[in-house]
Amino acid sequence: MPFWTPEIHALRRPRLVRRQAIRRAIAGWFEAELFLEVETATLAVSPGNETHLHAFATARRGLDGGASPLHLVTSPEFALKKLLAAGESRIFEFARVFRNREAGPLNVHEFTMLEWYRAGETTERLIADVAALVSLAAETAGTRVFRWRGRSCDPRAPMERLTLVDAFARHAGIDLEAVLGDTALFAAAVRARGMRVAEDDGWSDLFSRVVAEAIEPKLGDGRVTILERYPLSEAALARPCPDDPRFADRFEVYACGIELANAFGELTDAAEQRRRFVADMDEKERVHGERYPLDEDFLAALALMPEAARIALGFDRLAMLATGADTVAEVQFAPLEGVS
């Protein structure tokens, strides 16, 4: 039955009320931390330039009938970084974002992303933020344990921290450092573990498959996991780790096998950022047959942007876990109908 029938809405409403309570509590936490809440546009020339993120396309019509291509954003990231360049230092946004080619219990075409930035601070501070906000969400919802599909997680327990090198060794039996940058060697290691390898798989394809199939399902079991120090090739907008440039200052957050957030220390080198974007769009064109334009204003703004740390958290997923829902659609007031 549709969500708008009184009977179904009455069943859904308790979780929706708790979702909004969590949102208010989080906004209050940021206000106490002296953050400014902002709102950015959902239309942009460039929706982002990551290989496997797919955007919705539209067009702006002029009075003369001419059309200029636009996209719905996959993240508010470029706009928020421009605000850092403009002089803001602590900002957050509950942004509506859009992802094409995604569907499932954890992935919908339109959802709420909570994104925040700390200028002049490090990813270590973001890890502390995550611990506080996950605990706050559970407390606000009256939840002691997150549960999802047979897994459980104590949102108040000290978080596990695991590097990608350790995760590959522990959960996949692969020496990640030994195969860095070597597609043939990596493919052989993946095959040896009984995992599928396609003829046209690149290094990043193999990396993503191992993470998705062998590592992610085991993360955030019992307590929240911080998965950190990604290979540099897997962090398009992150700066290198100062102690080892083979790896990026990036981490992801997991609970009950679900990715909740993605964070990194910001890359502010415009030339390097352009090089990465072009490489990713070349790969997108090879794999998916399309590419998105670069945001030239964003690249120009990098010259003014301070050192900063950024994190994007899937608010619907956090609300889902905190309220005991099975899908993100259950904690959306008006989920998209007629789409599966």
Side-chain angles (χ1 to χ4, degrees):
M1 294 177 69
F3 73 84
W4 44 265
T5 60
E7 299 89 344
I8 296 300
H9 182 68
L11 294 173
R12 300 178 74 243
R13 192 174 187 276
R15 285 199 176 101
L16 300 175
V17 170
R18 283 189 285 168
R19 170 201 170 99
Q20 295 307 87
I22 293 168
R23 178 170 175 151
R24 287 193 300 271
I26 288 175
W29 185 91
F30 278 113
E31 183 176 350
E33 288 282 314
L34 304 180
F35 277 73
L36 175 67
E37 183 172 8
V38 302
E39 295 177 280
T40 59
T42 55
L43 287 171
V45 172
S46 174
N49 297 108
E50 295 185 46
T51 301
H52 300 296
L53 278 186
H54 303 283
F56 286 89
T58 184
R60 180 183 65 83
R61 297 283 178 181
L63 294 176
D64 61 356
S68 300
L70 290 173
H71 298 85
L72 296 174
V73 296
T74 58
S75 164
E77 186 169 359
F78 290 174
L80 292 174
K81 290 179 181 179
K82 291 171 185 175
L83 289 174
L84 291 185
E88 296 296 340
S89 60
R90 292 186 181 186
I91 52 177
F92 78 100
E93 180 175 13
F94 285 97
R96 299 298 291 180
V97 298
F98 306 84
R99 305 277 175 93
N100 214 341
R101 303 194 192 188
E102 296 192 8
L106 300 175
N107 298 291
V108 291
H109 295 301
E110 178 181 357
F111 59 96
T112 299
M113 180 180 287
L114 169 61
E115 189 158 335
W116 70 96
Y117 288 76
R118 288 182 177 271
E121 300 194 62
T122 68
T123 50
E124 288 296 323
R125 184 60 185 270
L126 296 182
I127 291 174
D129 290 347
V130 167
L133 293 177
V134 169
S135 178
L136 177 61
E139 178 183 351
T140 304
T143 301
R144 296 184 60 185
V145 179
F146 290 168
R147 302 184 191 278
W148 196 74
R149 297 198 170 180
R151 301 182 182 90
S152 63
C153 174
D154 181 349
R156 299 172 180 83
M159 296 188 296
E160 174 189 30
R161 294 184 65 166
L162 188 65
T163 68
L164 264 296
V165 169
D166 290 340
F168 265 71
R170 180 186 303 179
H171 298 306
I174 294 174
D175 183 345
L176 182 61
E177 290 184 288
V179 301
L180 279 177
D182 190 323
T183 302
L185 194 60
F186 197 4
V190 172
R191 286 193 184 96
R193 270 70 188 175
M195 299 176 69
R196 177 179 63 87
V197 176
E199 286 298 320
D200 61 346
D201 274 345
W203 198 94
S204 292
D205 298 314
L206 297 169
F207 177 86
S208 296
R209 186 168 302 124
V210 173
V211 170
E213 296 181 11
I215 295 174
E216 283 185 335
K218 299 173 183 175
L219 302 180
D221 192 10
R223 55 180 175 155
V224 175
T225 297
I226 301 293
L227 186 64
E228 57 189 337
R229 294 176 70 91
Y230 278 68
L232 191 63
S233 63
E234 308 312 305
L237 293 116
R239 62 192 173 209
C241 290
D243 61 323
D244 190 340
R246 297 176 303 166
F247 296 94
D249 182 17
R250 175 192 173 191
F251 71 84
E252 289 196 348
V253 183
Y254 288 85
C256 299
I258 296 170
E259 179 198 336
L260 284 181
N262 178 35
F264 44 81
E266 293 294 341
L267 177 68
T268 55
D269 181 333
E272 172 61 14
Q273 188 64 83
R274 181 184 295 275
R275 185 196 68 77
R276 293 186 189 181
F277 281 165
V278 170
D280 281 351
M281 289 300 93
D282 288 346
E283 180 67 2
K284 187 179 191 70
E285 191 165 42
R286 182 187 74 83
V287 175
H288 301 294
E290 63 178 343
R291 64 192 302 136
Y292 300 141
L294 305 189
D295 186 333
E296 294 294 344
D297 284 343
F298 165 65
L299 291 169
L302 286 180
L304 300 176
M305 185 175 147
E307 294 292 321
R310 166 264 189 192
I311 183 166
L313 183 148
F315 179 69
D316 302 78
R317 291 184 179 185
L318 179 61
M320 180 193 78
L321 289 174
T323 63
D326 293 322
T327 70
V328 295
E330 291 176 44
V331 292
Q332 293 185 320
F333 274 86
L336 183 62
E337 296 180 278
V339 175
S340 60

